[in-house]
Amino acid sequence: MTKEIIINSSTTQTRVAITEDGYLADFFVDYPENRRMVGDIYLGKVARVLPGIKAAFIDIGMKHDAFLHFSDIGENTQQLQDMLGDDSEVDDDEDEDSPSPNPRPVRDENRQPVIPKLAKGQDILIQITKEPVNNKGVRVSSAISLPGRFCVLLPFDGKIGVSKKIYDFRERKRLRSIARSILPKNYGLIIRTVARNQSEEALRDDLNNLKKTWQHIEEIVHTESPPSLIYQDLSTTSSVIRDLFTPDISKVFIDSKKLYKQIKSYVQLVQPGLADKIENFKSSTSIFDAFKIDEQIKTLMGRKVSLPSGGYLIIEHTEAMVVIDVNSGRYAKSKDQELNSLKTDLEAAREISRQMRLRDIGGIIVIDFIDLEEDKNRKKIYDELRKEFRRDRAKVSVLPMSDFGLVQITRQRIRQNIMQAMKEVCPFCLGTGLLTKQSHVVYDLEELIKKVRQKSKERSLIVKCHPAIAAKFNEGKIKTLTKLQLKYMIRLHLIEDESVPLNEIKLFSKKTQQEITDDFK
């Protein structure tokens, strides 16, 4: 399999595509106004502690307070508090093999979770683990980790872990031995997948760079007051090169000379053997057009995704989950309906795995596969999904297919999915995809006028609406607006305003010029 990284840089954004044999496998967008926040470290202040939901909210200077679950409080928090000059104690535990630690709560002798001692107003050092989604703030952890090229440094933590994706027992043993020999006291270390077959010197250099970064953080912490940003992790583009530019990548193409120099300089420093794979793409043709990336990105934006044999997927995003419907279309190669359904479902399983990685869909996903009668065929779909998700960097859990043909999946959510990152809510339908019929908008206005007449002394109103709705009010020999004025003995002044959504009407008092719509809804 030929894997390539293609980077397109413009004045407004940087786009990174990872392809496998020419097919888009991963896609990232780096916006200056929507910077990647995962990995950033903040000095915050505890705003609220809610034992009922086993969580605390931390003020880090953002619109919404950060969410800190008790399970995300690391066992090194006491040492971090000591560093801040705080005497409060917090207990927890950590998963040693995870590059982004997700600690488990410590339990007492009776196996009951210990509630950490957090107090309102207490200073706390935290790290962002998940981007904000919709109206939710960022999720954070007090288990600080600093990722490098080959290692993840865990301050005040004695654990040593090796990535679970390094399967060779001897290599795991060698890397663990190196980690023990180079690791100073009061630090923990996780060896990343990319460290496979690397020398002790390469790991030591990476560790020394991370130690310098942590020492710099310690210095800054003592000069800042909460809430403040203490450390900013790499941009999306740089983190892709750090985390995903592995020896199995055959080439990296970059169309920006400046970015090319930056990335090449970084790779020459951390892994010189890969530097020759980086190439500055020079052509009058857009790099994404040359590699046929743009036409593949278009499929990310649609709700319908075609399958090779004529079937298709419908992907719907809801507030609570993502729902995927598998349809056979016109595919009927065999007279055996079960075989036709199985073939389409297998194609769907592969494409769903790819789409979830591409769109970075997280949370709960429910898939409605085409019904299969035989249990062995249902198991084939389940096995195919599990096999495909092994290639996913996010943590994925898949349940077997139910009797109704439904498969439930949970996928680790770290950042906004690609639709949320690249699209905005439509100002007219407000994300529903539906608009109120014009005749019903007229009905809504009449209902508002009724309430105004019943509950106030207003006799002259300004009606603001979209020009398309205004045209409806001006229809007929006797205009609809005139009929309403005569029926309710009230004066209506119509003002066209394109900023008003198509399914809304705004009422203003002629006398005070103040909006009164909400007063009579």
Side-chain angles (χ1 to χ4, degrees), residues 8-174:
N8 165 231
S9 180
S10 67
T11 53
T12 57
Q13 60 183 241
T14 300
R15 299 186 297 170
V16 183
I18 299 176
T19 63
E20 297 174 354
D21 290 335
Y23 289 97
L24 193 60
D26 252 322
F27 181 64
F28 308 89
V29 185
D30 208 353
Y31 296 97
E33 75 276 9
N34 192 18
R35 189 187 58 79
R36 176 182 184 268
M37 288 187 282
V38 170
D40 290 356
I41 297 173
Y42 280 81
L43 179 60
K45 192 178 284 289
V46 177
R48 288 171 291 160
V49 180
L50 303 174
I53 61 170
K54 298 179 182 178
F57 288 90
I58 314 297
D59 176 14
I60 57 173
M62 293 184 179
K63 180 181 177 182
H64 299 289
D65 288 339
F67 179 82
L68 174 65
H69 194 270
F70 291 169
S71 65
D72 292 326
I73 297 176
E75 65 179 17
N76 59 354
T77 301
Q78 180 58 54
Q79 291 94 325
L80 290 170
Q81 294 306 110
D82 291 343
M83 185 182 79
L84 297 174
D86 192 305
D87 294 330
S88 61
E89 295 182 1
V90 183
D91 296 313
D92 210 352
D93 198 4
E94 183 170 13
D95 176 5
E96 67 169 21
D97 249 2
S98 171
S100 298
N102 184 15
R104 296 183 299 272
V106 166
R107 296 177 179 269
D108 61 20
E109 292 179 358
N110 296 320
R111 307 297 295 165
Q112 294 299 314
V114 175
I115 297 176
K117 297 176 182 177
L118 289 178
K120 183 178 179 180
Q122 172 185 326
D123 292 353
I124 185 168
L125 197 66
I126 53 88
Q127 185 171 36
I128 295 177
T129 58
K130 289 185 182 178
E131 301 272 0
V133 179
N134 298 328
N135 293 320
K136 297 176 182 177
V138 296
R139 182 158 181 165
V140 298
S141 169
S142 68
I144 306 297
S145 63
L146 294 177
R149 174 66 175 166
F150 305 119
C151 313
V152 178
L153 183 67
L154 311 175
F156 303 118
D157 192 325
K159 290 187 179 68
I160 293 175
V162 178
S163 168
K164 291 176 181 175
K165 292 185 179 179
I166 299 177
Y167 302 111
D168 185 81
F169 173 76
R170 290 182 182 178
E171 180 62 7
R172 290 179 65 86
K173 188 176 180 181
R174 183 185 75 89

Side-chain angles (χ1 to χ4, degrees), residues 197-211:
N197 300 325
Q198 293 297 319
S199 66
E200 179 177 333
E201 184 183 4
L203 269 66
R204 189 186 296 276
D205 288 344
D206 195 40
L207 174 61
N208 288 337
N209 288 332
L210 292 173
K211 276 174 58 186

Side-chain angles (χ1 to χ4, degrees), residues 179-190:
R180 286 197 187 97
S181 66
I182 65 176
L183 190 61
K185 191 178 179 182
N186 289 331
Y187 287 99
L189 198 67
I190 294 170

